[in-house]
Amino acid sequence: TYRNYLGLALLDGDLNILRDPNSGEYLDAVIDLNQHLFDIDWSPFGWLRKRPLKPRQFMQDCQLFAPRQPSKSASDGKAERLILLCNEHAMPVRLQVGRNGQRDNNPSRGNDKNGGEDEKIFFTNKYGSGLRLTGLQKPNMILYQAKNMHYIPPSNDGGGGFLEVWPGGPHEVLPLGFNNYPYVLRRFGGDPKNSMLKSPKPEPDASFATIDGREGNNALVERDSGSACCVP
């Protein structure tokens, strides 16, 4: 059975992994998010379903980004938090430089397993000891069965930002600024209250040669791939 791991690293301008100036350790880490969430009995379905015998791979194709606060000026907009987005789930996180396991040798959260959504999750590393990741809230489902969404920061007019849900045919985005948790409130039945924005017509053909100009499958839309990201 395949497993998904989250890899984190701090890089220099040449994309080399940085070292801790004191210990000399590489500032990187590999974390099994799904195993840790399984260990604390978290499930996107809550407590309504029977607990599986082994971890389900809910957290895949993760991206780490720093959303800016809406501002009248781009220079005033501050990125004061990190968001970990894995397929349809998003959670605020804290990334710290320090030895893995300083807080706890096991993934844990605050009180008993029926505690509130505001409990922190202290992840431990499968590999590496230079970085430590803490989940500040449990994962919030953004859009059921979504995959490889991309965050678009707010413009200078004070907007709240968007998530690109589908790249074309037509283009679909979800207004979402990640300012308040939970990021998406759901109606009865699971549909998000946030209104999806869809382009009223298909995008025009490109005026230059593209990979999608080939005959056969649309390589950019129908591809099956993982993802990587950077936080500048």
Side-chain angles (χ1 to χ4, degrees):
T1 303
Y2 73 93
R3 299 176 75 94
N4 292 273
Y5 296 92
L6 173 67
L8 300 168
L10 299 185
L11 308 178
D12 63 16
D14 296 321
L15 302 184
N16 297 312
I17 301 176
L18 294 172
R19 289 178 180 265
D20 186 292
N22 298 317
S23 66
E25 293 177 308
Y26 283 110
L27 299 180
D28 62 351
V30 175
I31 301 170
D32 190 343
L33 291 174
N34 293 293
Q35 180 65 57
H36 289 196
L37 292 171
F38 178 80
D39 290 342
I40 65 169
D41 292 338
W42 175 85
S43 165
F45 307 113
W47 303 101
L48 300 179
R49 298 192 178 190
K50 183 179 179 181
R51 187 176 190 269
L53 298 178
K54 57 184 179 180
R56 299 276 299 277
Q57 302 300 297
F58 294 115
M59 308 292 279
Q60 301 183 33
D61 297 331
C62 296
Q63 305 173 47
L64 188 68
F65 57 89
R68 287 194 290 110
Q69 294 282 359
S71 173
K72 295 295 183 182
S73 170
S75 61
D76 293 337
K78 295 181 180 180
E80 298 176 336
R81 61 206 180 285
L82 290 176
I83 303 295
L84 183 65
L85 175 67
C86 302
N87 280 4
E88 63 261 61
H89 301 101
M91 61 190 302
V93 297
R94 180 172 61 231
L95 185 63
Q96 297 171 285
V97 174
R99 293 194 59 83
N100 172 49
Q102 280 185 340
R103 167 94 187 193
D104 198 336
N105 290 324
N106 297 297
S108 62
R109 54 179 183 170
N111 302 313
D112 60 69
K113 68 180 181 180
N114 295 314
E117 287 288 325
D118 61 345
E119 292 178 342
K120 295 180 176 63
I121 304 172
F122 302 102
F123 294 104
T124 52
N125 300 347
K126 191 78 173 178
Y127 165 84
S129 57
L131 295 177
R132 184 169 71 249
L133 183 73
T134 302
L136 303 181
Q137 304 274 3
K138 289 188 286 186
N140 177 218
M141 182 181 290
I142 303 300
L143 193 64
Y144 182 62
Q145 291 189 334
K147 183 177 176 67
N148 291 341
M149 297 184 289
H150 297 95
Y151 172 68
I152 302 172
S155 61
N156 295 344
D157 61 4
F162 301 89
L163 268 183
E164 182 185 59
V165 176
W166 193 248
H171 193 201
E172 299 181 24
V173 298
L174 184 70
L176 194 62
F178 294 98
N179 297 316
N180 299 301
Y181 182 94
Y183 308 122
V184 171
L185 298 176
R186 319 198 77 77
R187 299 185 179 92
F188 182 78
D191 294 331
K193 292 183 178 181
N194 308 52
S195 298
M196 188 80 69
L197 301 180
K198 297 185 180 182
S199 174
K201 57 184 179 181
E203 290 73 22
D205 293 334
S207 60
F208 51 88
T210 69
I211 191 172
D212 281 343
R214 305 181 309 169
E215 294 183 1
N217 292 338
N218 186 320
L220 292 182
V221 174
E222 298 180 1
R223 70 191 188 280
D224 182 14
S225 64
S227 85
C229 72
C230 299
V231 179

